[in-house]
Amino acid sequence: MKRRIAMMMACGLLATLTACGSQTHSEGPTSAAAGRQENQEMPAETSSGSEIEASQNSATDGRALVAYFAYSENIGDTSDMTVDAIASASVGSTDNTEGNLQVMAQVIADVENTDVFHITVQEPYDPVYDVMHDRAIEEIDNEEFPALTDSVENLEQYDVIYLGMPVWSGSLPRPVATFLAENDLSGKTIVPFGINLGSGFGNMVNEIEELCPDATLVEGFTISARTANDAVRTEFTQWLENLELNG
């Protein structure tokens, strides 16, 4: 009798252990699958949109910015324009579709690994150069500050500003004046670069100093707008590599 009771108890214990083992085995994969599904459904982190084309500078910890104004990027919708018309608006060589300002901005971005900011106006300029020129002269004479479409975020992170623009009638294009007026560049180093039609920088350097009296302005680089892109790239790259900045 005692043997029968003992056998019955052993069978009951075995059944209990078997049931527990089956329950543990079934819960394992279910938990793992739930974990994988949770990871798949978690949204990936994305950075907020910005007008700046970011390319973090490992050498300077992102402390340099290229900010440039190009006529060809401020003529509105170009979908109906020919390639030659856009090239002409760039005031670059007529056998290239890429403007010299864009060439120099890209050289800086590649060599110095900087961020790039495009200075663009809310009211585009006319793609016909003569019409644009009349408006530009009026803005210069009246010392206007055309409204821009975007602004630089976290400007305080930059110590050096590479400032690019065409020389318009020996003066600073007024959209660039707006950029300088809207941003406090005190304590920063400004490196001007640009294109001209024979005037060099004209009065541009003095105008930058007036708008940014507490910034350090170094000698910049300007070249004829009619210079071929490849020649500009070569000459400007050499100049940039020899540029020495304090700090």
Side-chain angles (χ1 to χ4, degrees), residues 167-243:
V167 179
W168 278 359
S169 197
S171 299
L172 189 71
R174 295 310 293 180
V176 180
T178 301
F179 173 81
L180 296 177
E182 291 182 349
N183 294 283
D184 183 8
L185 302 187
S186 300
K188 302 185 186 299
T189 298
I190 301 176
V191 184
F193 67 94
I195 56 176
N196 68 83
L197 291 173
S199 63
F201 273 124
N203 193 48
M204 184 180 296
V205 173
N206 293 332
E207 294 176 79
I208 295 175
E209 289 178 335
E210 291 177 1
L211 289 165
C212 306
D214 297 320
T216 299
L217 185 63
V218 303
E219 184 176 355
F221 177 96
T222 184
I223 195 169
S224 171
R226 298 185 178 92
T227 308
N229 290 165
D230 289 343
V232 170
R233 184 177 290 105
T234 299
E235 188 172 341
F236 184 70
T237 299
Q238 183 178 0
W239 174 84
L240 185 64
E241 290 175 345
N242 293 328
L243 179 64

Side-chain angles (χ1 to χ4, degrees), residues 18-85:
T18 302
C20 291
S22 299
Q23 182 178 7
T24 302
H25 179 72
S26 64
E27 288 180 354
T30 302
S31 298
R36 286 196 298 270
Q37 183 177 8
E38 180 180 355
N39 289 336
Q40 289 173 354
E41 291 177 353
M42 289 180 63
E45 293 185 2
T46 57
S47 56
S48 59
S50 172
E51 72 281 0
I52 296 179
E53 298 171 358
S55 55
Q56 281 302 93
N57 187 343
S58 58
T60 61
D61 296 328
R63 292 184 295 121
L65 173 71
V66 176
Y68 78 92
F69 168 79
Y71 169 39
S72 61
E73 296 179 7
N74 281 271
I75 55 178
D77 185 7
T78 61
S79 59
D80 294 331
M81 294 178 62
T82 65
V83 171
D84 289 341

Side-chain angles (χ1 to χ4, degrees), residues 121-177:
V121 293
Q122 291 185 12
E123 182 183 351
Y125 288 90
D126 197 288
V128 177
Y129 185 85
D130 289 341
V131 178
M132 177 282 296
H133 186 265
D134 290 342
R135 171 183 164 184
I137 296 301
E138 182 178 352
E139 290 176 344
I140 292 171
D141 290 343
N142 296 332
E143 297 185 352
E144 297 179 20
F145 292 93
L148 305 182
T149 60
D150 297 300
S151 60
V152 178
E153 296 180 1
N154 301 319
L155 183 66
E156 64 276 3
Q157 69 181 303
Y158 302 111
D159 294 332
V160 178
I161 308 295
Y162 292 92
L163 187 65
M165 70 237 95
V167 179
W168 278 359
S169 197
S171 299
L172 189 71
R174 295 310 293 180
V176 180

